[in-house]
Amino acid sequence: MKQPGDFISSLEWFRNATVHPDTGFEQDINGAAAVLKIGEEKFHRSQICGYSNNVPMMFHDKPGIGGELLPGQTLKVTNSVFPEGIGSSPPSWIAFDKQVLCFDAYFEEEVPEKNQELYRIRHCKIYFYPEDDTIQVTEPVVKNSGLNQGTLVRRHQIPLPPPHEDQFYTMYDFNINTEITLYGRKYKIIDCDEYTKNFLRKIGIRLNPPASRPDDPYTTERQQRHLASTNPFHPYERFDTLKQFLEFDGKVLGFSCVWNDPESQLTGPRELVLRYYLSDDTIDIREVLPRNSGRDVVPFFLKRDKLPKNAPTPPYHPGTITNYTLLNVLGKPERNKGYYIRDILQTGAVHREFYKDSDLKIGAVINVWGRQILLCDCDEFTKEHYRKKYGIVDFTPIQYKTPPPPKPEKIIPPYNGFGSEEDSLSSCRGVVVKALHKDYRQFLEKDRYGMDSNILRYAAKLVTDSAIDKDRKFIISFFLRIAGGKFLERSHIKKPGQELFKSEPSEYYKAQDLFVGARVCFHGHKFLLVDADEYTFNYMEKNANEVKQALSMTESRAKEIRKTFAITDPEHTNVIGYDTFRNWVVSVTGGGFSEHEIMTLGRHYGMRDESQTDLHFLLSVAQDKLKKNTFENFEQLNAVFLYNDREKCGQLPYETCRTIFKSFKFPLPDDLLETLLTRFEDNQKQVDYRKFVHALNWRENQVRVFEVVKEPPKREDIWNQLPRSPPVTGIRYPPLLDDLFGKEE
């Protein structure tokens, strides 16, 4: 029974519709076609009045002539068993917009003009558009088919075949494994896509099983004739090398190999480089010529080609290796035939085997036209190729070169006393004397940068029995960038006790040789280093790899040392004085520690006396320095601090703050800046940069200047009091013992 198709009820009624268990209907917009049956009355009214879903049509389909029925013509039933929906009814072109039903079909076409074929099977696709019940038929285009393919039926409404030509096709007329007639041509529907199946199930259509798809006899015969025409009458073995070329193009295996040329036994084996091309299994060989070999330079030792195995010596005569064999036929030539025919049996053909990648490995000997080539090593790509393809893991190279003789030791004549040792040594290294090469890298790395002077200064005194020289005070400056004063000009200083006239270069004093407590001898004058400035202490502590300061104690004395500290600290304050700590270190190590090492330990584990210098006084001195240098970039300084503070907590590490001040070329001495940063530092080594910058801002937070402001002492006055103990009031000995022996259980 045919059902009306081009209509839809109201969506409000559709949402409240009851689900029928047999149809599998779902309440969604895609299943709106399930309620199309309720519009039967509207459908018949549209056939009479020219309306479809309350939308006026372009024509009026009325029965008869002028509204009067013809003889034998009857009106359609306008009543429906379904009630009309409540509410507005959206038109079908909105409800079914962009929804298409796709069916696979075929039809038979007679071919009366040819005796070779009676009919053809033409496959096509039928598209049904539910929005306006239009149908379109297309045939996929086949190359060189000779048929007009593409759109066979343009999209429009198609009437049913007689006797129902007054009605049009609807979605209820389509099913799998059925036939439909479009303008006299029968189409057999064999299948549809998944969306169409779901759509038809939702509107209550039971789908038939898919039908088989017949083959076109003409196309099958044409394919067989094409294969028969492409097969040669004289078949030869054919190889398809395109796949191998596309897969391995540009991939080359490389081997190092040697050839023991019998004519060059005195010069040793000849080194070769073999390359195997995976794209076409060809090989080429190049020769590695040493310097002054006397041989002509040729592009290739072996030109790129396939290398046959067991090639005869001498090689084959010309014409022996051919692609095919010709037979001489006696008699007169016929039309389009000659005296020769091709031998399909390939009688007398020479079958050769060529080298493959499976034949090449380290240690293998290959025959290159009579020359025995030994493969000794390969590159990394070749090793990876053999690991993946053949599972080879041993790639031990073969040593074919004799080790070179050891170079004779160059004997340098002893220093003769003329000029410096470096100039004399450069005259022995070559005929042309070159100037001494200076270490510019060290100069650039250790040159002054910002507040880092890279100059280590020590306080020293003469080790002498002279009453006049005993009280003399000296400042020893060690320049890290290359190595003044009135007593000794700036220069390299040799270590004492070295032979003057010798072949080896002399040793000079380095930064590792200078520390507090060290005894040095400069041109016969002995000095004792008794103190150093703050920059020197900080530099040597940060660069421990350059200045070695070790502390080695055995665990067997751990209990004894802990007991000694407990006796020294009867009140259990975990703090002892610096002098007590120094005497204890000297007694325990037996004088093995230098004064510098003891002071370094004291500075690391000590408690600094922050009350020695008033913070108010330090800020007044700092602001006075900033005023004199007209430094006012406090807002920009705050912006840089805020940018580096990723967590926006108002605190940054000590080193980060110091680096930022260096980038601004902050006009404060290094020791004053470090002291102020330490005062604003918490236990976590974090500096409150907001308070610190606000304290230095002499524009907004000017500190009262003392009536008598002491000028910072000059560098010469710093060393007047020797020795100078580190600025600590006490030593926290529990962390020291824990670092040495571990925590006590």
Side-chain angles (χ1 to χ4, degrees):
M1 177 179 178
K2 304 297 180 179
Q3 301 292 338
D6 193 9
F7 49 82
I8 184 171
S9 66
S10 67
L11 294 179
E12 190 65 28
W13 185 94
F14 166 73
R15 293 191 182 95
N16 300 326
T18 304
V19 179
H20 196 279
D22 295 335
T23 60
F25 169 70
E26 298 178 2
Q27 294 184 6
D28 52 26
I29 190 65
N30 294 329
V35 296
L36 293 177
K37 296 180 181 180
I38 69 172
E40 183 178 359
E41 181 179 356
K42 296 182 179 180
F43 171 75
H44 291 296
R45 186 165 60 249
S46 67
Q47 299 295 320
I48 299 175
C49 302
Y51 284 83
S52 177
N53 292 331
N54 297 330
V55 178
M57 304 294 290
M58 295 297 295
F59 62 93
H60 296 275
D61 187 10
K62 296 182 180 181
I65 300 176
E68 296 181 1
L69 297 177
L70 297 175
Q73 193 174 19
T74 59
L75 291 175
K76 305 298 182 181
V77 180
T78 58
N79 298 327
S80 176
V81 297
F82 299 98
E84 292 189 2
I86 301 175
S88 60
S89 299
S92 60
W93 52 271
I94 292 181
F96 296 107
D97 185 27
K98 298 181 180 178
Q99 298 187 27
V100 184
L101 306 183
C102 179
F103 299 90
D104 295 331
Y106 71 91
F107 64 92
E108 294 184 4
E109 184 182 32
E110 294 183 358
V111 184
E113 296 86 359
K114 297 179 64 177
N115 297 327
Q116 293 83 0
E117 55 177 340
L118 301 178
Y119 67 94
R120 289 183 182 179
I121 302 296
R122 300 179 63 176
H123 301 278
C124 59
K125 287 185 176 294
I126 301 176
Y127 298 99
F128 183 86
Y129 299 86
E131 59 179 337
D132 53 1
D133 291 350
T134 55
I135 299 175
Q136 181 182 4
V137 182
T138 61
E139 182 182 8
V141 178
V142 179
K143 188 177 181 180
N144 297 329
S145 65
L147 302 175
N148 293 327
Q149 297 174 324
T151 302
L152 301 181
V153 179
R154 291 183 294 177
R155 177 180 173 181
H156 66 288
Q157 286 184 331
I158 300 178
L160 293 172
H164 305 286
E165 63 272 10
D166 56 340
Q167 300 178 20
F168 296 96
Y169 275 100
T170 65
M171 65 187 69
Y172 293 94
D173 299 315
F174 290 87
N175 201 338
I176 301 176
N177 201 3
T178 58
E179 290 186 355
I180 62 173
T181 303
L182 304 179
Y183 296 117
R185 177 178 288 175
K186 292 184 179 181
Y187 294 85
K188 178 65 175 294
I189 300 176
I190 58 177
D191 202 355
C192 61
D193 57 8
E194 195 65 28
Y195 173 78
T196 305
K197 292 179 181 179
N198 295 334
F199 190 94
L200 295 178
R201 288 192 187 102
K202 289 178 181 180
I203 65 176
I205 298 179
R206 294 184 180 274
L207 296 177
N208 300 326
S212 60
R213 179 176 181 178
D215 295 330
D216 182 19
Y218 171 74
T219 304
T220 304
E221 181 185 1
R222 188 169 179 266
Q223 291 177 353
Q224 294 177 355
R225 284 191 281 112
H226 175 72
L227 293 176
S229 63
T230 55
N231 292 330
F233 293 102
H234 309 288
Y236 283 90
E237 189 175 4
R238 299 173 61 187
F239 297 97
D240 185 11
T241 59
L242 179 60
K243 178 181 178 181
Q244 181 182 359
F245 172 78
L246 296 176
E247 184 177 358
F248 297 103
D249 184 29
K251 297 181 180 180
V252 183
L253 307 181
F255 292 89
S256 300
C257 46
V258 293
W259 171 45
N260 293 314
D261 187 4
E263 297 180 359
S264 59
Q265 297 180 356
L266 299 178
T267 58
R270 300 175 66 172
E271 300 181 22
L272 306 173
V273 176
L274 183 145
R275 294 187 298 183
Y276 182 89
Y277 298 85
L278 295 173
S279 60
D280 55 358
D281 300 325
T282 55
I283 294 175
D284 67 7
I285 301 177
R286 295 176 181 267
E287 184 176 5
V288 180
L289 295 178
R291 292 183 178 180
N292 302 325
S293 63
R295 297 190 180 97
D296 294 334
V297 180
V298 293
F300 290 98
F301 183 83
L302 175 67
K303 192 176 180 180
R304 179 177 175 179
D305 198 358
K306 288 189 176 182
L307 182 62
K309 296 182 180 179
N310 303 322
T313 305
Y316 295 104
H317 293 288
T320 304
I321 306 300
T322 58
N323 296 330
Y324 50 85
T325 305
L326 295 180
L327 299 179
N328 188 4
V329 180
L330 300 178
K332 295 182 179 180
E334 298 179 2
R335 183 179 180 183
N336 297 330
K337 293 185 179 180
Y339 287 97
Y340 304 96
I341 62 174
R342 184 179 297 181
D343 182 12
I344 61 176
L345 301 179
Q346 295 185 357
T347 306
V350 178
H351 299 280
R352 295 185 300 172
E353 294 185 4
F354 299 95
Y355 279 103
K356 303 290 185 180
D357 57 345
S358 58
D359 304 319
L360 306 179
K361 61 180 180 179
I362 297 178
V365 179
I366 62 175
N367 181 17
V368 182
W369 300 104
R371 297 173 177 84
Q372 304 301 318
I373 305 298
L374 174 63
L375 305 183
C376 301
D377 199 0
C378 59
D379 54 16
E380 289 299 328
F381 174 78
T382 306
K383 294 178 182 178
E384 189 64 24
H385 173 78
Y386 281 96
R387 287 193 194 100
K388 293 181 179 179
K389 188 173 182 179
Y390 300 105
I392 300 176
V393 295
D394 185 14
F395 299 98
T396 305
I398 298 177
Q399 301 294 335
Y400 60 90
K401 291 184 179 180
T402 57
K407 294 184 179 180
E409 183 180 359
K410 183 180 292 186
I411 301 176
I412 300 176
Y415 176 58
N416 54 13
F418 293 97
S420 63
E421 292 186 9
E422 290 77 7
D423 292 338
S424 178
L425 183 61
S426 62
S427 64
C428 302
R429 293 176 177 173
V431 178
V432 180
V433 180
K434 297 181 180 180
L436 180 64
H437 177 70
K438 297 181 181 180
D439 193 353
Y440 289 101
R441 180 184 296 274
Q442 181 181 1
F443 172 79
L444 295 175
E445 292 178 355
K446 299 299 182 180
D447 193 17
R448 180 180 181 91
Y449 179 77
M451 289 176 286
D452 286 341
S453 60
N454 287 319
I455 300 175
L456 307 182
R457 294 183 175 87
Y458 300 88
K461 62 180 181 179
L462 281 172
V463 181
T464 180
D465 296 333
S466 174
I468 299 175
D469 297 337
K470 186 179 295 186
D471 296 333
R472 298 178 64 184
K473 302 176 182 64
F474 297 89
I475 298 176
I476 298 177
S477 300
F478 186 86
F479 296 84
L480 295 174
R481 57 176 180 174
I482 303 182
K486 295 299 181 184
F487 180 83
L488 178 64
E489 297 290 342
R490 174 177 172 180
S491 63
H492 293 281
I493 300 178
K494 297 180 182 180
K495 292 183 179 180
Q498 302 184 67
E499 185 181 352
L500 180 60
F501 302 103
K502 62 183 184 304
S503 302
E504 296 79 11
S506 299
E507 295 183 6
Y508 295 90
Y509 278 105
K510 299 180 181 179
Q512 293 86 339
D513 303 319
L514 303 180
F515 52 87
V516 177
R519 294 178 179 268
V520 295
C521 182
F522 297 157
H523 300 309
H525 298 277
K526 297 180 179 180
F527 293 91
L528 173 64
L529 306 185
V530 296
D531 204 352
D533 60 357
E534 188 70 17
Y535 178 82
T536 304
F537 277 111
N538 293 333
Y539 178 85
M540 300 180 77
E541 290 173 5
K542 294 176 183 177
N543 299 272
N545 56 340
E546 298 182 11
V547 184
K548 296 181 180 180
Q549 300 170 1
L551 181 61
S552 59
M553 295 184 179
T554 59
E555 295 186 1
S556 60
R557 303 188 60 186
K559 295 183 179 180
E560 178 185 352
I561 295 172
R562 291 183 185 275
K563 184 177 180 181
T564 303
F565 275 109
I567 296 174
T568 308
D569 184 20
E571 298 180 359
H572 303 286
T573 60
N574 294 334
V575 178
I576 60 175
Y578 176 78
D579 295 334
T580 305
F581 168 76
R582 179 185 179 280
N583 296 333
W584 170 80
V585 174
V586 172
S587 62
V588 169
T589 59
F593 269 27
S594 64
E595 192 68 28
H596 189 105
E597 292 172 330
I598 298 174
M599 296 177 68
T600 302
L601 287 175
R603 289 166 56 89
H604 183 71
Y605 296 99
M607 300 174 58
R608 296 181 180 271
D609 185 10
E610 298 183 357
S611 62
Q612 290 182 357
T613 306
D614 185 37
L615 177 61
H616 193 75
F617 172 73
L618 293 176
L619 291 176
S620 64
V621 175
Q623 287 190 0
D624 185 60
K625 289 282 186 182
L626 296 177
K627 284 182 183 180
K628 291 181 179 180
N629 290 274
T630 64
F631 183 85
E632 298 181 359
N633 298 331
F634 296 105
E635 293 184 0
Q636 186 178 1
L637 188 62
N638 272 324
V640 175
F641 274 114
L642 187 62
Y643 174 79
N644 287 271
D645 186 8
R646 302 299 183 183
E647 298 180 358
K648 308 303 179 184
C649 60
Q651 292 182 342
L652 287 175
Y654 172 87
E655 292 297 333
T656 305
C657 296
R658 189 169 179 269
T659 304
I660 294 175
F661 280 114
K662 282 185 179 182
S663 63
F664 276 85
K665 297 182 180 180
F666 211 59
L668 287 184
D670 195 20
D671 52 354
L672 179 58
L673 178 61
E674 292 178 355
T675 303
L676 289 172
L677 286 173
T678 306
R679 294 298 180 88
F680 287 87
E681 189 179 23
D682 57 6
N683 297 332
Q684 303 297 330
K685 303 295 183 182
Q686 299 288 327
V687 178
D688 191 344
Y689 61 85
R690 295 176 181 174
K691 294 182 179 179
F692 184 56
V693 176
H694 179 69
L696 293 178
N697 192 345
W698 55 274
R699 284 288 188 185
E700 299 180 359
N701 184 29
Q702 186 173 2
V703 179
R704 180 181 59 85
V705 182
F706 288 91
E707 296 180 359
V708 181
V709 179
K710 296 183 179 179
E711 292 290 336
K714 297 181 180 180
R715 188 168 300 279
E716 292 79 9
D717 299 337
I718 295 177
W719 313 106
N720 289 338
Q721 299 177 358
L722 299 175
R724 178 172 63 89
S725 59
V728 294
T729 58
I731 305 297
R732 296 187 296 268
Y733 64 87
L736 171 63
L737 298 179
D738 292 342
D739 293 342
L740 291 177
F741 313 112
K743 293 186 177 181
E744 188 177 9
E745 298 180 357

